[in-house]
Amino acid sequence: MKSNKIKGGIKGNIKIPSDKSISHRSIIIPSISNGISEVNNLLMSDDVLHTLEAFKAMGVEITKENNKVIIHGKGLDSLSKSKENIYLGNSGTSARLLTGLLASQSFNSILEGDKSLSSRPMKRIMDPLRLMSAEFDNSSGTLPLKIIGKQLKNKKIKIDIPSAQIKSGLMLAAINTEGESTFIEKNITRDHTENMLKSFGAEIDVKKNGAETSISINGKREFKSNNIDVPSDLSSSAFFIVAALINKGSKINMNNININPTRDGILKALKKMGANISIKNQRTLSGEIVADLDVEYSELSGCELDAEMAKLMIDEYPILSIAAAFARGPSLFRGLKELRVKESNRLELIRLNLIRCGCDCEVINDDLLIKPSKIYNVINNKVRTDFDHRIAMSFSIMGSKLGNLIIDNADSINTSFPNFVNIFNNAGGNILWKK
Ligand code: S3P
């Protein structure tokens, strides 16, 4: 894929696709509830389709009608063993959430993934599940993973790694485990699983105590079905927000964007940099906060963000780094350790590709320092993505300023945002999609 300079900025109303995190949960939770749930605007991206196929393979009837996916849930114990191994492609969220859910089933399962997913850590979810007496036949700590399904024991567990995937995997194990399980989260992470479980009638109690959150679940309580409207994805909107902020003449608006406060760090960070973003018509949709966003070209300044911010915007550092490359001063983003274990080693790829673009950039321990220039002389116009969708989209936004950036393996964009190129080009972007 080749990303070229744009003139006159991006403009208009941009239709952002549905939220990926909420879409996964919108398949998993209705599949184990009782009755029919209608899901409006499910994201039809590769990652989400892998979750959907997994539940079909475990016997759940899922049909499609126009923009609705209809899920016929038959209760907590209704899943059956998949005939084939469950293939999850590139999707870390599917892998971690399903590991928890399947550990408490009465049958064994084998999870598999693509090359990138097969190198991502699974011990982080297996270890806390083992405290609930879960069993796995796996010595590598990565996929493929054989899960020995069994009745688990409720436990009180502290979650040390800031990860909504780990927390959600544990919660999905607890809902099918007798008695009360409690998970103590030291760090704030996205709370979509808690929100959706509540709206399906799960017995779940969430208590905040300073920085800690304690989540208690009374297991083996059947859920009722519910309809879900999936809002648009703030993470996907971030590519357009930054494209508008850095390209003169841009003025865009985007509706129905999920601005869940456990995930809205990107808006806070960009505002700190002086971004002209207005958040309007705040309302609630299926238990989540949504709003409409107006964004205009802005002169950005650099900023320093502490490690706490990383928990509220972990997926947005690649695109925030592009904004930082066009700010008036340097930026320092602290505490980005988790970026090393995403779809790629994002910390390293941000550094490498910014340097190739001619931007002075350094990784110091787990911190990222970006020193922007007024004029960029591209050293190497090949962007290396290691099949990571967010690296590919972020550097195509970089290309909208520098021109002539060649982005390798850009097909990965289909994991979260299949229409990215069309939508960007229709708004004034200039990306050539070459197979
Ligand atoms: C996600 C959680 C985050 C995020 C991922 C989606 C989720 O991962 O990076 O894209 O849907 O729960 P971690 O929980 O591992 O930080």
Side-chain angles (χ1 to χ4, degrees):
M1 186 170 94
K2 186 170 166 207
S3 179
N4 297 306
K5 259 190 205 168
I6 64 175
K7 289 191 200 98
I10 58 165
K11 293 201 174 80
N13 181 276
I14 318 269
K15 171 100 185 70
I16 298 296
S18 296
D19 189 273
K20 180 156 79 69
S21 292
I22 298 175
S23 291
H24 284 296
R25 287 146 175 95
S26 300
I27 298 164
I28 298 172
I29 294 173
S31 289
I32 47 168
S33 74
N34 280 283
I36 296 178
S37 301
E38 290 185 1
V39 186
N40 275 308
N41 299 324
L42 187 83
L43 174 68
M44 291 292 172
S45 76
D46 287 354
D47 276 12
V48 177
L49 291 174
H50 285 302
T51 296
L52 191 133
E53 287 307 321
F55 280 87
K56 278 189 175 169
M58 291 190 285
V60 182
E61 187 188 339
I62 305 180
T63 51
K64 217 184 149 232
E65 247 175 51
N66 307 321
N67 223 9
K68 273 189 195 138
V69 170
I70 298 157
I71 303 181
H72 301 250
K74 296 215 170 79
L76 280 180
D77 266 324
S78 64
L79 301 179
S80 53
K81 185 176 162 63
S82 166
K83 287 197 185 78
E84 313 280 338
N85 294 349
I86 297 175
Y87 179 72
L88 300 172
N90 193 252
S91 181
T93 304
S94 316
R96 274 63 175 261
L97 270 57
L98 287 189
T99 299
L101 180 75
L102 296 179
S104 64
Q105 299 296 317
S106 56
F107 51 85
N108 297 347
S109 309
I110 298 181
L111 303 183
E112 293 178 343
D114 69 7
K115 195 169 155 229
S116 149
L117 183 59
S118 302
S119 68
R120 294 181 65 188
M122 292 298 289
K123 237 172 93 56
R124 51 176 49 208
I125 177 69
M126 283 153 58
D127 284 350
L129 283 169
R130 282 187 175 115
L131 299 175
M132 296 174 75
S133 83
E135 280 181 35
F136 305 98
D137 184 1
N138 175 282
S139 54
S140 62
T142 55
L143 298 189
L145 169 63
K146 179 165 183 187
I147 303 165
I148 315 290
K150 60 182 280 218
Q151 193 54 69
L152 303 184
K153 296 200 175 84
N154 65 69
K155 276 272 145 51
K156 187 170 183 174
I157 297 174
K158 271 204 167 185
I159 308 171
D160 294 321
I161 303 173
S163 164
Q165 293 180 350
I166 298 175
K167 171 179 68 175
S168 302
L170 288 169
M171 286 196 284
L172 292 172
I175 56 176
N176 205 18
T177 300
E178 203 71 60
E180 188 176 90
S181 304
T182 299
F183 307 113
I184 299 166
E185 219 191 0
K186 291 204 294 194
N187 306 282
I188 297 173
T189 63
R190 66 191 71 192
D191 61 1
H192 304 305
T193 311
E194 294 89 311
N195 294 343
M196 202 178 287
L197 283 175
K198 276 182 201 157
S199 72
F200 275 70
E203 283 188 31
I204 169 168
D205 184 37
V206 180
K207 282 198 190 78
K208 296 250 178 248
N209 183 8
E212 276 189 2
T213 309
S214 155
I215 304 156
S216 295
I217 293 180
N218 205 2
K220 293 281 184 198
R221 299 285 190 264
E222 290 291 339
F223 308 158
K224 53 184 189 324
S225 60
N226 202 357
N227 295 339
I228 303 168
D229 276 304
V230 184
S232 294
D233 196 322
L234 178 62
S235 301
S236 298
S237 78
F239 303 108
F240 286 84
I241 295 175
V242 171
L245 292 174
I246 64 176
N247 282 293
K248 262 200 183 125
S250 297
K251 193 171 168 121
I252 57 167
N253 62 292
M254 293 170 288
N255 298 338
N256 229 22
I257 308 291
N258 180 231
I259 54 159
N260 181 316
T262 60
R263 234 182 111 177
D264 68 350
I266 183 70
L267 297 176
K268 296 196 171 98
L270 288 169
K271 283 194 164 196
K272 193 170 172 190
M273 294 170 81
N276 192 343
I277 302 175
S278 33
I279 303 170
K280 303 194 311 201
N281 304 329
Q282 226 169 287
R283 56 207 182 267
T284 303
L285 182 72
S286 297
E288 292 282 339
I289 303 172
V290 299
D292 304 330
L293 307 182
D294 289 349
V295 187
E296 271 181 57
Y297 167 78
S298 310
E299 296 259 331
L300 299 176
S301 38
C303 82
E304 215 176 301
L305 300 180
D306 60 21
E308 283 312 300
M309 196 57 131
K311 292 149 199 165
L312 302 179
M313 57 169 292
I314 192 65
D315 289 339
E316 282 67 70
Y317 281 96
I319 189 62
L320 182 71
S321 303
I322 306 302
F326 295 99
R328 273 177 309 214
S331 290
L332 179 62
F333 306 143
R334 295 188 197 277
L336 305 187
K337 187 171 169 209
E338 278 296 301
L339 276 192
R340 298 185 199 273
V341 290
K342 292 293 173 188
E343 286 83 330
S344 67
N345 179 343
R346 285 190 178 150
L347 194 51
E348 173 53 19
L349 285 189
I350 295 170
R351 188 198 66 81
L352 175 94
N353 290 316
L354 279 181
I355 286 181
R356 285 185 180 181
C357 290
C359 176
D360 192 359
C361 171
E362 240 182 288
V363 171
I364 309 153
N365 302 318
D366 294 327
D367 303 341
L368 178 66
L369 174 64
I370 297 172
K371 294 184 238 163
S373 303
K374 279 222 162 65
I375 298 162
Y376 284 113
N377 294 311
V378 176
I379 298 166
N380 176 348
N381 74 339
K382 308 265 182 314
V383 172
R384 183 176 135 195
T385 70
D386 290 358
F387 298 91
D388 185 326
H389 56 135
R390 297 198 200 281
I391 296 289
M393 289 185 275
S394 298
F395 280 87
S396 57
I397 301 305
M398 184 82 175
S400 72
K401 289 284 284 184
L402 304 186
N404 191 29
L405 285 191
I406 310 286
I407 292 138
D408 74 11
N409 301 309
D411 282 358
S412 63
I413 289 174
N414 293 328
T415 62
S416 66
F417 200 158
N419 267 332
F420 171 76
V421 172
N422 278 346
I423 296 178
F424 187 56
N425 285 349
N426 285 339
N430 189 2
I431 296 178
L432 282 178
W433 187 251
K434 278 192 301 189
K435 288 274 166 191

